[in-house]
Every structure is written in structure tokens, then in C-alpha cells.
Amino acid sequence: YALTFKSVKSGQASYAKGWRKLTTTLPSVAGEVTLAHGVTTVETVQAKVTNSDGVIIYNNDIDPANQFYVRVDGANLVLGVTTNSTKVFGKAVTIYVGEEL
């Protein structure tokens, strides 16, 4: 069978999506840290940490001792932990950002 490709005219489409992997450290006490990532069109953010028990935890964990969050603020990512987040305080975090390029 034959494939047919149609050209895209200027102005019709400009969407390209990619993933960026970032690493940093969560705060060692309750609070937030800001990480510049340089792109404002973030589509998805997923992050993981190996907690003090050696278990991989994601940013949507329901256990208060493992909870941390990642939010977008302009061209920055903001990572935070609460006073209950004792198992992830100061741990290295890997963040995957799905974004429009």
C-alpha cells in the first residue's frame, strides 16, 4: 500500500513535544526550592525520590511521610515538602518534564 504525506503550510502547526530530565535535591526541612527549567509551556510533570527506606516514591504518594510536590511557576519548577515529609527530606529527586518545545 502507498503512504500519502501532506505538507503543512506555515502557520498551520508549530507543536513539538519533548521530555526533559532534571535532577536536584528536595529541601532538608519543610519548605520549597525553585529550579529554573527555562520553558513555560509545561504539559506534564512527574518526579521520583528514593526515600529513607530505599523505596522509590513518586510525587503523588499518599503517605504523609513520603509526600512532596512539584508545581510550575512561570519558567520555574517549585519543589516542596511539608513538616510531615520526613522520609524524603534532603533526598535527590529526578523530575521528568513533558513540555511544548
Side-chain angles (χ1 to χ4, degrees):
Y1 57 91
L3 295 177
T4 303
F5 295 96
K6 295 185 178 185
S7 63
V8 177
K9 294 180 183 175
S10 176
Q12 285 183 324
S14 62
Y15 187 79
K17 186 172 181 178
W19 287 93
R20 186 186 305 221
K21 178 181 174 184
L22 303 168
T23 55
T24 190
T25 305
L26 288 173
S28 56
V29 295
E32 293 184 334
V33 62
T34 300
L35 177 66
H37 70 87
V39 176
T40 58
T41 53
V42 174
E43 302 268 329
T44 308
V45 175
Q46 181 69 55
K48 69 178 183 177
V49 171
T50 301
N51 75 4
S52 58
D53 296 330
V55 177
I56 294 176
I57 302 298
Y58 292 90
N59 56 308
N60 55 0
D61 197 277
I62 60 170
D63 180 355
N66 290 316
Q67 287 178 358
F68 67 98
Y69 58 88
V70 182
R71 64 180 171 82
V72 179
D73 181 13
N76 300 318
L77 298 176
V78 178
L79 290 77
V81 292
T82 67
T83 55
N84 296 325
S85 305
T86 55
K87 290 188 178 183
V88 295
F89 279 171
K91 297 295 181 183
V93 60
T94 303
I95 306 161
Y96 300 95
V97 182
E99 56 199 358
E100 185 177 344
L101 304 174

